[in-house]
Amino acid sequence: MYSEEQQLYFSKNLLEWYQTHKRDLPWRRSKNPYYIWISEVMLQQTRVDTVIPYFHRFVDQFPTVEALATAPEENVLKAWEGLGYYSRARNLQSAVREVHERYEGVVPQNKADISALKGVGPYTSGAILSIAYNKPEPAVDGNVMRVLSRYFLIEEDIMKPSTRTIMEKLARELILEGTASDFNQALMELGAMVCTPRSPHCLTCPVMAHCSAREAGMEEALPIKKKAKPPRPELRAVAFVEGTGENAGKWLIRQRPQEGLLARMWELPHVEWPSSGWQSDEENMSELRQALAEQELIGIQPDEWFMDTEHIFSHIVWKMKVYRAKLGDANRQSTGEEWIPFHYRWVGPEDLQNYAFPNVFVRIMREWQEQCEE
DNA sequence: AAAGCGGGGTG
DNA sequence: CACCCAGCTTT
């Protein structure tokens, strides 16, 4: 399909370039398959600069397959706090437990076994097999598709699953005997450092001379990519509940459901708001009290607007209003209607290290602490 | 094939 | 502000 000369030039020059230009990244300092695995899962949808501190902390806390396999899940989730896509953490631990129990702690070295592990798809299996074990398997991520689509001028939509299959076949052909580990890393490194999304740095590219997109003046138009749908808006009203009496200085938090969005993470109590929109603060607070009661959180009394904030997921945008609220002894004694379900907890600032929160709630709690210091 | 699933960055 | 980065699982 593509000329053998163009392919061979690409593989040889890319490998040579990588030897002198590769970054010194923490997960490149060993070939420990377990460490490579952790890094690859963290790097899914996440940039290198973000991952580095998480990687250090994670391997420090869970240095071996056994350590991660036997750790409490909440500790793993806490170590993942802020990285996003938390099913990655739960799947990783589940898969590491399987490696611990079924494979005596040795990460499988064949495509079928490693691909059967939770959270290990075509990219991650190829990355581990090639980088850690030097197996000639392709590892096609977004960087690789961008580089290949340009160098070979491939105009298929890279969002289509069928395009990845084409890319994998091509990437497999490009691996020269015995070079899988370095070549796959070189391919991704080129995409990250030179053949970047917006304005590729062609003049420093080691394979510019035979790049088809460059020859055609197409490098900025590739890869072809269908646009994602914009996130749908959701209104959310949050109750920042400050304790009184024996709970003075503490806040009320709760754990999210076992499945779905932000599964098993902790959060401030809140309700989804009708899309018809906000009313006055007075009306909002009254509505919030009733809505929380319908969630069986009875006796909450919002009393003051605190802040507005927004949290953007890939598919939803939460537009949030946060209200201060009380649930105190006075309330309990006068009404006798207070009831807090078991998955709620009173925590102080010193307890936060024991719970994993989505970033949006970390931001709200940090804002509250800053205002307290004033 | 499409949707669900977080959190960042840049111009 | 609009725009960009994106792999695995489930439906």
Side-chain angles (χ1 to χ4, degrees):
Chain A
M1 184 166 179
Y2 307 101
S3 89
E4 201 168 307
E5 186 200 345
Q6 191 189 17
Q7 292 194 20
L8 193 59
Y9 175 88
F10 182 82
S11 301
K12 284 184 170 178
N13 284 67
L14 192 54
L15 270 171
E16 193 179 324
W17 170 84
Y18 181 67
Q19 300 312 324
T20 52
H21 290 80
K22 63 181 171 194
R23 287 170 292 177
D24 177 21
L25 300 173
W27 44 89
R28 285 186 178 159
R29 295 195 160 197
S30 90
K31 296 279 186 188
N32 183 327
Y34 170 64
Y35 290 169
I36 304 290
W37 184 5
I38 292 167
S39 73
E40 289 303 338
V41 174
M42 285 186 171
L43 286 163
Q44 292 166 9
Q45 286 82 34
T46 313
R47 45 197 326 121
V48 165
D49 290 345
T50 304
V51 166
I52 287 174
Y54 281 92
F55 178 81
H56 282 305
R57 288 195 297 266
F58 202 91
V59 297
D60 192 48
Q61 192 177 353
F62 311 109
T64 62
V65 164
E66 180 169 11
L68 183 55
T70 56
E73 190 201 64
E74 63 209 72
N75 293 9
V76 179
L77 200 57
K78 183 64 184 175
W80 211 270
E81 181 187 75
L83 261 187
Y85 288 121
Y86 299 96
S87 65
R88 290 186 296 172
R90 290 183 278 112
N91 286 337
L92 174 62
Q93 189 183 28
S94 168
V96 163
R97 283 177 171 161
E98 189 174 346
V99 168
H100 181 53
E101 288 158 17
R102 284 187 47 177
Y103 301 110
E104 295 165 343
V106 180
V107 180
Q109 302 188 40
N110 65 81
K111 192 84 174 173
D113 287 344
I114 199 169
S115 300
L117 298 170
K118 280 201 173 133
V120 179
Y123 166 72
T124 307
S125 61
I128 298 171
L129 290 174
S130 62
I131 296 173
Y133 293 128
N134 206 26
K135 304 274 186 189
E137 293 287 339
V140 174
D141 70 351
N143 286 312
V144 172
M145 289 206 277
R146 184 171 60 252
V147 170
L148 295 183
S149 71
R150 286 174 178 163
Y151 186 82
F152 294 102
L153 215 165
I154 299 167
E155 297 181 271
E156 305 287 328
D157 177 2
I158 63 167
M159 295 300 280
K160 284 167 51 182
S162 57
T163 305
R164 218 210 53 233
T165 308
I166 295 170
M167 297 283 184
E168 281 179 344
K169 184 171 180 295
L170 176 55
R172 187 188 296 277
E173 288 176 15
L174 293 168
I175 301 171
L176 300 175
E177 178 87 29
T179 68
S181 179
D182 279 351
F183 177 75
N184 282 352
Q185 292 183 79
L187 200 46
M188 292 187 271
E189 193 79 350
L190 189 76
M193 304 304 294
V194 177
C195 198
T196 50
R198 305 246 207 169
S199 47
H201 309 111
C202 295
L203 296 183
T204 62
C205 179
V207 295
M208 179 187 77
H210 291 288
C211 176
S212 297
R214 171 80 184 172
E215 286 171 14
M218 295 271 291
E219 69 272 15
E220 299 217 27
L222 292 169
I224 306 291
K225 192 179 178 187
K226 193 179 67 188
K227 287 218 195 295
K229 283 169 57 174
R232 67 174 186 274
E234 274 183 18
L235 305 183
R236 300 254 160 182
V238 182
F240 201 119
V241 187
E242 299 157 78
T244 56
E246 60 185 6
N247 295 319
K250 296 191 171 188
W251 317 320
L252 195 57
I253 64 169
R254 69 180 180 196
Q255 192 168 25
R256 294 181 59 84
Q258 297 292 300
E259 306 288 335
L261 183 67
L262 302 168
R264 290 176 238 185
M265 300 196 74
W266 292 79
E267 65 179 7
L268 297 172
H270 66 269
V271 299
E272 186 174 353
W273 204 259
S275 57
S276 48
W278 303 108
Q279 311 291 325
S280 70
D281 279 336
E282 302 309 319
E283 291 171 286
N284 291 342
M285 289 192 285
S286 173
E287 280 293 319
L288 176 55
R289 175 189 169 89
Q290 292 178 40
L292 287 169
E294 282 167 25
Q295 294 183 357
E296 301 189 315
L297 186 60
I298 298 170
I300 300 287
Q301 186 52 60
D303 54 20
E304 185 188 2
W305 173 85
F306 177 60
M307 67 184 289
D308 289 353
T309 188
E310 205 170 78
H311 189 58
I312 302 169
F313 303 89
S314 46
H315 58 310
I316 309 172
V317 49
W318 279 357
K319 296 167 180 295
M320 312 166 85
K321 278 190 177 296
V322 185
Y323 292 98
R324 285 184 182 238
K326 290 284 193 302
L327 187 155
D329 293 338
N331 185 322
R332 174 163 49 228
Q333 283 157 13
S334 64
T335 68
E337 65 171 0
E338 170 199 321
W339 188 64
I340 301 181
F342 73 95
H343 60 287
Y344 284 76
R345 254 175 234 183
W346 289 105
V347 297
E350 69 281 2
D351 300 317
L352 298 183
Q353 60 201 6
N354 300 320
Y355 302 92
F357 293 92
N359 260 9
V360 56
F361 296 107
V362 172
R363 289 203 313 269
I364 294 169
M365 291 187 288
R366 194 179 297 143
E367 177 73 18
W368 188 87
Q369 284 180 298
E370 282 170 17
Q371 291 204 13
C372 282
E373 286 164 13
E374 286 170 6

